[in-house]
């Protein structure tokens, strides 16, 4: 009898397997979805500035976040505490206080966070006067039924939640760099919008080549993702956006699926670099969906980079090698604790796990530099 039952069970299992194999392919035509098993090692990854700036203290962003996770803190709380160090550090001119301002000299900040277990997210864009936009994004997630608040509405919300609103988030350093950029471009001399935009970018790139600003910080951002031993995964991203941008310009960072995307059952992906290229392809969502189908974080990230390359067709965005003339980096982590940093051109990323914090080279799609 037991043998018969076993054979019957085997037949049923075989039929179920055949049914699964006959199911329609997934949305990307890659076969049935494969969800990554949860539970693995604790890991925090970030853009390279997450293992550099300390805001006058002894630990970096990835160190602080990893320590808090090992001590049992909620993963998102730990990640935000980590990026707060970078937002508050005046020597990082790509994030938070002292971030390079827009074309009018005003610092406007964007941020987004996603909580995998809670399946919730919050974001702010073009926020002025608050040094830690990541905390305001978290407040949006926790206190409203919305994801994204922008501009004056985001500032009014922050004020109502008790955040200090400052008149100016420039440091002397960021202000002097803006004045130098203004000196080189003076928009009143370039009345045609196309010419003005091209001259502004050309001046910014020249300042980067002269060492006045870090080329990575021209589109500076910090993305930080982490997972605990239970496989609970979260992510946060925060930025001052494109240096000397058109006032009100919002890039990919606060947009779900572009600058950041988290699926609590699968993994997380975030980005730094040219926001528009990322937005046009919703690359972070694409990466997480590739991991859902079983791709390793590195392979998932490379798939997104190749998609960006295929969709970059404007001549102004291509170098003389017919490759994108901009940088774009992805930081990818699955729920098992496997991770990767991938990039259009060679770059760095940060990680902290049981082996401690370190800065590693990314896997690059192309050699050399964008230009």
């Amino acid at each position: 009898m037991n043998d018969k039952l076993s054979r019957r069970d085997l037949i049923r299992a075989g039929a179920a397997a055949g049914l699964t194999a006959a199911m329609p392919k997934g949305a990307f035509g890659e076969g049935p979805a494969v969800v990554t098993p949860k539970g693995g090692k604790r890991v925090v990854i970030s853009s390279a500035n997450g293992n550099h700036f300390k805001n006058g203290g002894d630990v970096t962003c990835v160190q602080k976040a990893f320590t808090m996770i090992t001590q049992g803190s909620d993963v998102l709380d730990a990640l935000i505490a980590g990026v707060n160090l970078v937002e508050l550090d005046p020597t990082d001119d790509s994030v938070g206080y002292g971030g390079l301002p827009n074309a009018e000299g005003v610092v406007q900040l964007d941020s987004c966070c996603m909580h995998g277990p809670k399946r919730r997210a919050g974001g702010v864009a073009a926020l002025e006067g608050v040094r830690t936009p990541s905390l305001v994004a978290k407040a949006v997630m926790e206190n409203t039924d919305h994801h994204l608040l922008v501009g004056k509405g985001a500032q009014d919300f922050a004020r109502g939640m008790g955040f200090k609103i400052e008149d100016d988030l420039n440091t002397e350093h960021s202000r002097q760099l803006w004045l130098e950029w203004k000196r080189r471009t003076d928009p009143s001399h370039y009345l045609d919008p196309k010419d003005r935009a091209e001259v502004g970018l050309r001046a910014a790139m020249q300042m980067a080549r002269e060492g006045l600003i870090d080329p990575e910080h021209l589109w500076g951002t910090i993305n930080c993702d982490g997972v605990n031993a239970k496989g609970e995964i979260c992510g946060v991203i925060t930025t001052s956006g494109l240096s000397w941008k058109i006032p009100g310009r919002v890039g990919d960072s606060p947009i779900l699926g572009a600058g950041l995307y988290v699926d609590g059952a699968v993994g997380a992906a975030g980005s730094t670099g040219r926001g528009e290229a990322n937005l046009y392809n919703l690359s972070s969502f694409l990466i997480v969906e590739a991991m859902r189908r079983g791709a390793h974080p590195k392979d998932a990230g490379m798939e997104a980079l190749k998609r960006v390359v295929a969709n970059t067709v404007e001549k102004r965005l291509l170098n003389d090698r017919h490759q994108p003339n901009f940088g774009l980096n992805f930081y990818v982590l699955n729920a098992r604790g496997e991770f990767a940093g991938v990039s259009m051109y060679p770059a760095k990323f940060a990680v902290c796990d049981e082996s401690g914090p370190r800065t590693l080279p990314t896997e690059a799609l192309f050699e050399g530099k964008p230009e």
Side-chain angles (χ1 to χ4, degrees):
M1 185 68 173
N2 287 340
D3 287 343
K4 291 180 180 178
L5 285 173
S6 297
R7 283 194 295 274
R8 188 178 298 119
D9 289 343
L10 286 170
I11 291 169
R12 286 174 177 168
L19 209 64
T20 300
M23 288 176 66
K25 290 187 176 183
F28 291 89
E30 298 287 341
V34 178
V35 177
T36 306
K38 295 188 71 174
K41 62 178 183 177
R42 295 168 291 201
V43 179
V44 173
I45 64 170
S46 83
S47 45
N49 48 353
N51 195 37
H52 179 73
F53 296 97
K54 301 179 180 180
N55 193 33
D58 299 322
V59 297
T60 62
C61 164
V62 291
Q63 284 177 282
K64 185 175 184 67
F66 183 78
T67 299
M68 290 179 63
I69 288 172
T70 60
Q71 293 171 346
S73 293
D74 176 84
V75 175
L76 184 57
D77 288 344
L79 300 178
I80 290 179
V83 300
N84 287 164
L85 293 175
V86 185
E87 289 174 320
L88 294 170
D89 193 324
T91 61
D92 186 329
D93 53 22
S94 71
V95 179
Y97 175 55
L100 293 178
N102 65 23
E104 299 301 322
V106 178
V107 178
Q108 292 183 318
L109 305 175
D110 307 328
S111 183
C112 174
C113 64
M114 295 193 74
H115 197 292
K118 293 180 180 178
R119 291 171 169 79
R120 286 186 59 79
V124 291
L127 174 64
E128 298 177 14
V130 182
R131 298 188 182 198
T132 54
S134 62
L135 285 172
V136 184
K138 183 170 181 281
V140 172
M141 181 189 78
E142 293 177 335
N143 295 282
T144 78
D145 189 39
H146 311 305
H147 161 60
L148 185 63
L149 299 180
V150 304
K152 184 178 183 299
Q155 187 187 71
D156 290 344
F157 170 81
R159 182 182 290 107
M161 296 301 300
F163 287 90
K164 179 182 178 182
I165 310 297
E166 300 181 56
D167 291 335
D168 186 7
L169 294 184
N170 276 295
T171 59
E172 188 59 29
H173 175 70
S174 65
R175 183 176 292 104
Q176 287 303 316
L177 287 175
W178 171 69
L179 289 171
E180 174 63 16
W181 178 82
K182 288 285 283 186
R183 183 186 69 79
R184 297 183 184 211
T185 63
D186 191 1
S188 65
H189 294 169
Y190 303 96
L191 300 180
D192 179 80
K194 182 175 182 294
D195 290 344
R196 185 167 64 242
E198 289 180 355
V199 168
L201 181 58
R202 191 158 59 244
M205 296 299 293
Q206 182 62 34
M207 290 172 68
R209 285 191 289 269
E210 292 174 13
L212 294 174
I213 59 174
D214 184 340
E216 290 289 325
H217 285 185
L218 188 59
W219 289 276
T221 303
I222 182 169
N223 165 241
C224 189
D225 310 303
V227 62
N228 63 17
K230 299 177 184 177
E232 295 174 336
I233 191 163
C234 299
V236 61
I237 187 166
T238 179
T239 183
S240 58
L242 175 63
S243 304
W244 311 302
K245 59 196 174 186
I246 296 173
R249 178 264 188 185
V250 175
D252 62 316
S253 293
I255 308 302
L256 298 183
L260 176 71
Y261 196 72
V262 177
D263 186 307
V266 180
S271 177
T272 62
R274 178 173 162 79
E276 282 72 16
N278 193 21
L279 275 166
Y280 295 159
N281 296 277
L282 289 179
S283 304
S284 292
F285 177 78
L286 177 70
I287 290 169
V288 172
E289 288 304 294
M291 289 194 292
R292 188 192 304 281
R293 303 192 306 274
H296 185 275
K298 185 188 86 169
D299 297 326
M302 283 296 183
E303 179 181 332
L305 286 171
K306 291 173 183 177
R307 179 75 62 86
V308 171
V309 171
N311 288 332
T312 302
V313 296
E314 294 182 66
K315 288 184 179 180
R316 67 185 180 89
L317 297 175
L318 298 171
N319 59 25
D320 56 9
R321 303 186 299 276
H322 304 290
Q323 298 166 350
N325 65 3
F326 52 82
L328 187 60
N329 305 344
F330 295 116
Y331 315 96
V332 191
L333 177 67
N334 69 21
R336 282 197 297 250
E338 298 171 326
F339 62 87
V342 302
S343 57
M344 193 73 73
Y345 297 93
K348 303 284 187 181
F349 76 108
V351 62
C352 189
D353 54 19
E354 301 295 344
S355 300
R358 54 205 185 274
T359 301
L360 302 173
T362 59
E363 295 278 350
L365 184 62
F366 298 123
E367 297 179 354
K369 297 180 179 180
E371 294 293 329

